[in-house]
């Protein structure tokens, strides 16, 4: 069963990114695989690399409401 990231998980990723943690380290921190973190960052980062957890959470909420 695939479950989306929660806002607290996204917030932890954002803090970890600012601290320079690797995707592997972030995955261990939130209890997810490194590929989950990689995909999250790839989907929800701006062109210059800034990760936007609030935008990602809002998009997930809208998608969930439409389903």
């Amino acid at each position: 069963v695939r479950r989306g990231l929660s806002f607290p998980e996204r917030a932890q990723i954002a803090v970890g990114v600012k601290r320079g943690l690797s995707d592997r380290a972030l995955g261990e921190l939130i209890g997810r695989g490194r590929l989950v973190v990689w995909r999250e960052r790839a989907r929800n980062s701006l062109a210059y690399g800034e990760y936007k957890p609030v935008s990602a959470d809002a998009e997930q909420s809208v998608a969930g409401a439409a389903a």
Side-chain angles (χ1 to χ4, degrees):
V1 173
R2 183 176 168 187
R3 66 179 174 92
L5 291 169
S6 66
F7 184 74
E9 288 171 320
R10 287 188 168 102
Q12 286 182 304
I13 290 172
V15 170
V17 166
K18 288 187 185 230
R19 291 183 178 168
L21 296 178
S22 68
D23 292 345
R24 183 180 304 274
L26 288 167
E28 289 173 5
L29 180 69
I30 65 171
R32 300 284 193 116
R34 68 179 175 82
L35 289 177
V36 171
V37 175
W38 181 86
R39 282 191 297 267
E40 173 67 14
R41 290 181 62 195
R43 283 187 200 117
N44 299 301
S45 292
L46 301 176
Y48 53 88
E50 184 181 355
Y51 174 65
K52 298 302 242 180
V54 175
S55 300
D57 202 58
E59 287 179 23
Q60 182 182 16
S61 295
V62 170

